[in-house]
Amino acid sequence: MNLRGLAAVGTMCLAAVAITGCNDDKDDKRDVGKAADVKATGSAQPSSGGPEQSEGTQQSNGTAELPPQQILEKAAQALETAPSWHVVTGDGKERIEFSVDDKGNCQGMRSDEGEEMEFLLQGESFYAKPRATFWENHFEDKASQAQQFVAGRYITTTADDPEFSPLFCTRNMLRASLFSPETIKAAKLTKGAKTVVDGVGTLQLKGTLDGSPTTVVVATTGEPYPMTIESSEAGTAVRMNFSEFGKEVAGSVPAPADTVEVGEVKQAVGASD
């Protein structure tokens, strides 16, 4: 799966909450539209320091001396074992961002052409608070009835509910798709420019990854985290910005009075599974 397909999976999974569901299919290539550069706080935008400051303010981690495929593997391992991280991707019409940790917690928000949704995954429980045009798009003529029944509460279900599968909050999703051993082995990347991002030295890897022109920015100081992944397919650019490594994932489980189980909503409005 390329980066565009990866972003589509996550967005579609969250958009389908309470109605269509989404399964953990790593071969899913559904297209949810064009996604381009999203500048997030702390994201990987090159500083004005230039190549002469390429080591940043920290000690080199030795990653820059490795062959490109080994650098990519190091980045994949670092992301997989990071205590937590934040990711942002999207464009003017759709956007998704979330923070995820190694304890199974995830919190974020997505928006897509008028739809909005907050979501929270903690342990075995998944909570979603849809807003705006979600109701009309997914409940159609029962939209007003469903919205009134939910009354601003979180829709909740279990984390293993295949209909709600919070795929984009799965920490190993990137490893299973974009950073799989097969994809890394087949990658054709060369080393590019060195830059500094928020005091962290970085190195660009440019070339082809999973069949698409791709640039991966990897930290060369501190942990070798991927900072930015930018890919292009059929003229459409997709970018993921990673930041906030090791930062605690905030978010409190809503009180029972502030939640309603998805089955109750469907039953109340007569929606089919």
Side-chain angles (χ1 to χ4, degrees), residues 155-215:
I155 298 173
T156 183
T157 186
T158 58
D160 60 357
D161 184 341
E163 189 172 12
F164 268 70
S165 181
L167 178 62
F168 216 62
C169 284
T170 304
R171 283 174 55 87
N172 65 357
M173 184 184 63
L174 288 168
R175 167 63 87 175
S177 51
L178 192 66
F179 286 157
S180 70
E182 295 78 15
T183 299
I184 292 176
K185 183 177 180 180
K188 299 183 184 301
L189 300 169
T190 58
K191 297 178 185 179
K194 292 182 177 181
T195 59
V196 175
V197 180
D198 295 337
V200 177
T202 70
L203 172 69
Q204 290 184 347
L205 298 178
K206 301 176 70 71
T208 302
L209 181 64
D210 199 23
S212 298
T214 302
T215 298

Coordinates of all heavy atoms in Angstrom, one line a residue, residues 155-215:
I155 N -20.6 8.3 20.8 CA -21.0 7.0 20.4 C -19.9 6.0 20.8 O -18.7 6.3 20.5 CB -21.3 6.9 18.9 CG1 -22.4 7.8 18.5 CG2 -21.6 5.5 18.4 CD1 -22.6 7.9 17.0
T156 N -20.2 4.9 21.4 CA -19.2 4.1 21.9 C -19.4 2.6 21.5 O -20.5 2.2 21.3 CB -19.1 4.1 23.5 OG1 -18.0 3.3 23.9 CG2 -20.4 3.7 24.1
T157 N -18.3 1.9 21.5 CA -18.3 0.5 21.2 C -17.0 -0.1 21.7 O -16.2 0.6 22.3 CB -18.5 0.2 19.7 OG1 -18.6 -1.2 19.5 CG2 -17.3 0.7 18.8
T158 N -16.7 -1.4 21.4 CA -15.4 -2.0 21.8 C -14.4 -1.8 20.8 O -14.7 -1.7 19.6 CB -15.6 -3.5 22.1 OG1 -16.1 -4.1 20.9 CG2 -16.6 -3.7 23.3
A159 N -13.1 -1.9 21.2 CA -12.0 -1.7 20.3 C -11.9 -2.7 19.2 O -11.4 -2.5 18.1 CB -10.7 -1.6 21.0
D160 N -12.5 -3.9 19.5 CA -12.4 -5.0 18.5 C -13.6 -5.1 17.7 O -13.8 -6.1 16.9 CB -12.1 -6.4 19.2 CG -13.2 -6.7 20.2 OD1 -14.1 -5.9 20.4 OD2 -13.1 -7.8 20.8
D161 N -14.5 -4.2 17.8 CA -15.7 -4.2 16.9 C -15.3 -4.0 15.5 O -14.8 -2.9 15.1 CB -16.7 -3.1 17.4 CG -18.0 -3.0 16.6 OD1 -18.1 -3.7 15.6 OD2 -18.9 -2.4 17.2
P162 N -15.5 -5.0 14.6 CA -15.1 -4.9 13.2 C -15.8 -3.7 12.5 O -15.2 -3.2 11.5 CB -15.4 -6.2 12.6 CG -16.5 -6.8 13.5 CD -16.2 -6.3 14.8
E163 N -16.9 -3.3 12.9 CA -17.6 -2.2 12.3 C -17.0 -0.9 12.6 O -17.1 0.1 11.8 CB -19.1 -2.2 12.7 CG -20.0 -1.3 11.9 CD -21.5 -1.5 12.2 OE1 -21.8 -2.2 13.2 OE2 -22.3 -0.9 11.5
F164 N -16.4 -0.8 13.7 CA -15.8 0.5 14.1 C -14.2 0.5 14.0 O -13.6 1.5 14.3 CB -16.1 0.8 15.6 CG -17.3 1.6 15.8 CD1 -18.6 1.0 15.5 CD2 -17.3 2.9 16.2 CE1 -19.7 1.8 15.7 CE2 -18.4 3.6 16.4 CZ -19.7 3.1 16.2
S165 N -13.7 -0.6 13.7 CA -12.2 -0.8 13.7 C -11.4 0.5 13.5 O -11.3 1.1 12.5 CB -11.8 -1.7 12.5 OG -10.4 -1.9 12.5
P166 N -10.8 1.0 14.6 CA -10.1 2.3 14.6 C -8.7 2.1 14.0 O -7.7 2.2 14.6 CB -10.0 2.7 16.1 CG -10.0 1.4 16.8 CD -10.9 0.5 16.0
L167 N -8.7 1.7 12.7 CA -7.5 1.3 12.0 C -6.4 2.3 12.1 O -5.2 1.9 12.2 CB -7.8 0.9 10.5 CG -6.7 0.5 9.6 CD1 -6.1 -0.8 10.1 CD2 -7.2 0.3 8.2
F168 N -6.7 3.5 11.9 CA -5.7 4.5 11.8 C -4.9 4.8 13.1 O -3.9 5.5 13.1 CB -6.2 5.9 11.2 CG -5.3 6.6 10.3 CD1 -4.9 6.0 9.2 CD2 -4.8 7.8 10.6 CE1 -4.0 6.6 8.3 CE2 -4.0 8.5 9.8 CZ -3.6 7.9 8.6
C169 N -5.5 4.2 14.2 CA -4.8 4.4 15.5 C -4.0 3.1 15.8 O -3.5 3.0 16.9 CB -5.9 4.6 16.6 SG -6.5 6.3 16.6
T170 N -3.9 2.2 14.9 CA -3.1 1.0 15.1 C -1.6 1.3 14.9 O -1.2 1.7 13.8 CB -3.5 -0.1 14.1 OG1 -4.9 -0.3 14.3 CG2 -2.8 -1.4 14.4
R171 N -0.8 1.2 15.9 CA 0.6 1.6 15.9 C 1.4 0.8 14.8 O 2.3 1.4 14.2 CB 1.3 1.4 17.2 CG 0.9 2.4 18.3 CD 1.4 2.1 19.6 NE 2.9 1.9 19.6 CZ 3.8 2.8 19.7 NH1 3.4 4.1 19.9 NH2 5.1 2.5 19.7
N172 N 1.1 -0.4 14.6 CA 1.9 -1.2 13.6 C 1.3 -1.1 12.2 O 1.8 -1.9 11.3 CB 1.9 -2.7 14.1 CG 0.6 -3.4 14.0 OD1 -0.4 -2.7 13.7 ND2 0.6 -4.6 14.4
M173 N 0.4 -0.2 11.9 CA -0.2 -0.2 10.6 C 0.8 0.2 9.6 O 0.9 -0.3 8.5 CB -1.4 0.8 10.6 CG -2.1 0.9 9.2 SD -3.4 2.1 9.2 CE -2.4 3.6 9.5
L174 N 1.7 1.2 9.9 CA 2.7 1.7 8.9 C 3.7 0.5 8.7 O 4.2 0.4 7.6 CB 3.4 2.9 9.4 CG 2.6 4.2 9.4 CD1 3.2 5.3 10.2 CD2 2.3 4.6 8.0
R175 N 4.0 -0.2 9.7 CA 5.0 -1.3 9.6 C 4.4 -2.4 8.7 O 5.1 -3.0 7.8 CB 5.4 -1.9 10.9 CG 6.1 -3.2 10.9 CD 7.4 -3.1 10.2 NE 8.5 -2.7 11.1 CZ 9.7 -2.7 10.7 NH1 10.1 -2.9 9.5 NH2 10.7 -2.3 11.6
A176 N 3.1 -2.6 8.8 CA 2.4 -3.7 8.1 C 2.2 -3.3 6.6 O 1.9 -4.2 5.8 CB 1.1 -4.0 8.7
S177 N 2.3 -2.0 6.3 CA 2.0 -1.6 4.9 C 3.2 -0.9 4.3 O 4.1 -1.4 3.7 CB 0.8 -0.7 4.9 OG 0.9 0.3 5.8
L178 N 3.3 0.4 4.6 CA 4.4 1.3 4.0 C 5.8 0.8 4.4 O 6.7 0.9 3.6 CB 4.1 2.7 4.3 CG 4.9 3.8 3.5 CD1 4.5 3.8 2.1 CD2 4.7 5.1 4.1
F179 N 6.0 0.4 5.6 CA 7.3 0.0 6.1 C 7.5 -1.5 6.3 O 8.3 -1.9 7.1 CB 7.5 0.7 7.5 CG 7.8 2.2 7.4 CD1 7.6 3.0 8.5 CD2 8.3 2.8 6.3 CE1 7.8 4.3 8.5 CE2 8.5 4.1 6.2 CZ 8.3 4.9 7.3
S180 N 6.8 -2.2 5.5 CA 6.9 -3.7 5.6 C 8.3 -4.1 5.0 O 8.9 -3.4 4.2 CB 5.9 -4.4 4.7 OG 6.1 -4.2 3.3
P181 N 8.8 -5.2 5.5 CA 10.1 -5.7 5.0 C 10.2 -5.8 3.5 O 11.2 -5.4 2.9 CB 10.3 -7.0 5.7 CG 9.5 -7.0 6.9 CD 8.3 -6.1 6.5
E182 N 9.1 -6.2 2.9 CA 9.1 -6.3 1.4 C 9.2 -5.0 0.7 O 9.9 -4.8 -0.3 CB 7.8 -7.1 1.0 CG 7.7 -8.5 1.4 CD 7.3 -8.6 2.9 OE1 6.8 -7.6 3.5 OE2 7.4 -9.7 3.5
T183 N 8.4 -4.0 1.3 CA 8.4 -2.7 0.7 C 9.8 -2.0 0.8 O 10.3 -1.4 -0.1 CB 7.4 -1.8 1.4 OG1 6.1 -2.4 1.2 CG2 7.4 -0.4 0.8
I184 N 10.4 -2.2 2.0 CA 11.7 -1.6 2.2 C 12.8 -2.2 1.3 O 13.6 -1.5 0.8 CB 12.1 -1.7 3.7 CG1 11.2 -0.9 4.6 CG2 13.6 -1.4 3.9 CD1 11.5 -1.0 6.1
K185 N 12.7 -3.5 1.2 CA 13.7 -4.2 0.3 C 13.6 -3.8 -1.1 O 14.6 -3.7 -1.8 CB 13.4 -5.7 0.4 CG 14.4 -6.6 -0.4 CD 14.2 -8.1 -0.2 CE 15.2 -8.9 -1.0 NZ 14.9 -10.4 -0.9
A186 N 12.3 -3.5 -1.6 CA 12.1 -3.1 -3.0 C 12.3 -1.6 -3.2 O 12.3 -1.1 -4.3 CB 10.7 -3.5 -3.4
A187 N 12.5 -0.8 -2.1 CA 12.6 0.6 -2.3 C 13.9 1.0 -3.1 O 14.9 0.4 -3.0 CB 12.7 1.2 -0.9
K188 N 13.7 2.1 -3.8 CA 14.8 2.6 -4.6 C 15.0 4.1 -4.2 O 14.4 5.0 -4.7 CB 14.6 2.5 -6.1 CG 14.4 1.1 -6.6 CD 14.2 1.0 -8.1 CE 13.9 -0.4 -8.6 NZ 15.0 -1.3 -8.2
L189 N 15.8 4.3 -3.2 CA 16.0 5.6 -2.6 C 17.5 6.0 -2.6 O 18.4 5.1 -2.5 CB 15.5 5.6 -1.1 CG 14.0 5.2 -0.9 CD1 13.7 5.0 0.5 CD2 13.1 6.3 -1.5
T190 N 17.7 7.3 -2.6 CA 19.0 7.8 -2.5 C 19.0 8.9 -1.4 O 17.9 9.5 -1.1 CB 19.5 8.5 -3.8 OG1 18.6 9.5 -4.2 CG2 19.6 7.4 -4.9
K191 N 20.2 9.2 -0.9 CA 20.2 10.3 0.1 C 20.2 11.7 -0.5 O 20.8 11.9 -1.5 CB 21.5 10.2 0.9 CG 21.7 8.8 1.7 CD 23.0 8.8 2.4 CE 23.3 7.5 3.1 NZ 24.6 7.4 3.7
G192 N 19.3 12.5 0.1 CA 19.2 13.9 -0.4 C 19.7 14.9 0.6 O 20.7 14.7 1.3
A193 N 19.0 16.0 0.7 CA 19.5 17.1 1.5 C 19.4 16.9 3.0 O 18.6 16.1 3.5 CB 18.7 18.4 1.1
K194 N 20.4 17.5 3.7 CA 20.3 17.6 5.2 C 19.7 18.9 5.6 O 20.0 19.9 5.1 CB 21.7 17.4 5.8 CG 22.3 16.0 5.5 CD 23.7 15.9 6.2 CE 24.3 14.5 6.0 NZ 25.6 14.4 6.7
T195 N 18.8 18.8 6.6 CA 18.2 20.0 7.1 C 18.1 19.9 8.6 O 18.4 18.9 9.2 CB 16.8 20.2 6.5 OG1 16.0 19.1 6.9 CG2 16.8 20.4 5.0
V196 N 17.6 21.0 9.2 CA 17.4 21.0 10.7 C 15.9 21.3 10.9 O 15.4 22.3 10.3 CB 18.3 22.1 11.4 CG1 17.9 22.2 12.9 CG2 19.7 21.8 11.2
V197 N 15.3 20.5 11.7 CA 13.9 20.7 12.1 C 13.7 20.8 13.6 O 14.0 19.9 14.3 CB 13.0 19.5 11.6 CG1 11.5 19.7 11.9 CG2 13.1 19.3 10.1
D198 N 13.4 22.0 14.1 CA 13.3 22.3 15.5 C 14.5 21.8 16.3 O 14.4 21.1 17.3 CB 12.0 21.6 16.1 CG 10.7 22.2 15.5 OD1 10.8 23.3 15.1 OD2 9.7 21.5 15.5
G199 N 15.7 22.1 15.7 CA 16.9 21.7 16.4 C 17.3 20.3 16.2 O 18.4 19.8 16.7
V200 N 16.6 19.5 15.4 CA 16.9 18.1 15.1 C 17.5 18.0 13.7 O 16.9 18.4 12.8 CB 15.7 17.2 15.3 CG1 16.0 15.7 14.9 CG2 15.1 17.3 16.7
G201 N 18.7 17.4 13.6 CA 19.2 17.1 12.3 C 18.4 16.1 11.5 O 18.0 15.1 12.1
T202 N 18.2 16.3 10.3 CA 17.5 15.3 9.5 C 18.1 15.1 8.1 O 19.0 15.9 7.6 CB 16.0 15.8 9.2 OG1 16.1 16.9 8.3 CG2 15.3 16.2 10.5
L203 N 17.8 14.0 7.5 CA 18.3 13.6 6.2 C 17.1 13.2 5.3 O 16.2 12.5 5.7 CB 19.3 12.5 6.3 CG 19.7 11.9 5.0 CD1 20.6 12.9 4.2 CD2 20.5 10.6 5.2
Q204 N 17.1 13.7 4.1 CA 16.0 13.3 3.1 C 16.4 12.0 2.4 O 17.6 11.8 2.0 CB 15.8 14.4 2.1 CG 15.1 15.6 2.6 CD 14.8 16.6 1.5 OE1 15.3 16.4 0.4 NE2 14.0 17.6 1.8
L205 N 15.5 11.1 2.2 CA 15.6 9.9 1.4 C 14.7 10.2 0.2 O 13.5 10.3 0.4 CB 15.3 8.6 2.1 CG 16.2 8.3 3.3 CD1 15.6 7.0 3.9 CD2 17.6 8.1 2.9
K206 N 15.2 10.2 -1.0 CA 14.3 10.5 -2.2 C 14.4 9.3 -3.2 O 15.5 8.7 -3.4 CB 14.7 11.8 -2.8 CG 14.7 13.0 -1.9 CD 15.2 14.2 -2.5 CE 14.3 14.7 -3.6 NZ 13.0 15.3 -3.1
G207 N 13.3 9.0 -3.8 CA 13.2 8.0 -4.8 C 11.9 7.4 -4.9 O 10.8 8.0 -4.9
T208 N 11.8 6.0 -5.0 CA 10.6 5.3 -5.1 C 10.4 4.3 -4.0 O 11.2 3.6 -3.6 CB 10.6 4.5 -6.5 OG1 10.8 5.4 -7.6 CG2 9.3 3.8 -6.7
L209 N 9.2 4.4 -3.4 CA 8.8 3.6 -2.3 C 7.4 3.0 -2.6 O 6.5 3.8 -2.8 CB 8.8 4.3 -1.0 CG 8.5 3.5 0.3 CD1 9.5 2.4 0.6 CD2 8.4 4.5 1.5
D210 N 7.3 1.7 -2.6 CA 6.0 1.1 -2.9 C 5.4 1.6 -4.2 O 4.2 1.8 -4.4 CB 5.0 1.3 -1.8 CG 3.8 0.4 -1.8 OD1 4.0 -0.7 -2.4 OD2 2.7 0.7 -1.3
G211 N 6.3 1.8 -5.2 CA 5.9 2.1 -6.5 C 5.6 3.6 -6.8 O 5.2 3.9 -7.9
S212 N 5.8 4.4 -5.8 CA 5.4 5.8 -5.9 C 6.6 6.7 -5.6 O 7.4 6.4 -4.7 CB 4.3 6.2 -5.0 OG 3.1 5.5 -5.3
P213 N 6.8 7.8 -6.3 CA 7.8 8.8 -6.0 C 7.6 9.2 -4.5 O 6.5 9.7 -4.2 CB 7.6 9.9 -7.0 CG 6.9 9.3 -8.1 CD 6.0 8.3 -7.5
T214 N 8.7 9.1 -3.7 CA 8.5 9.4 -2.3 C 9.7 10.1 -1.7 O 10.9 9.8 -2.1 CB 8.3 8.1 -1.5 OG1 7.2 7.4 -2.0 CG2 8.1 8.3 0.0
T215 N 9.5 11.0 -0.8 CA 10.6 11.6 0.0 C 10.3 11.3 1.5 O 9.2 11.6 2.0 CB 10.7 13.1 -0.2 OG1 11.0 13.4 -1.5 CG2 11.8 13.7 0.7

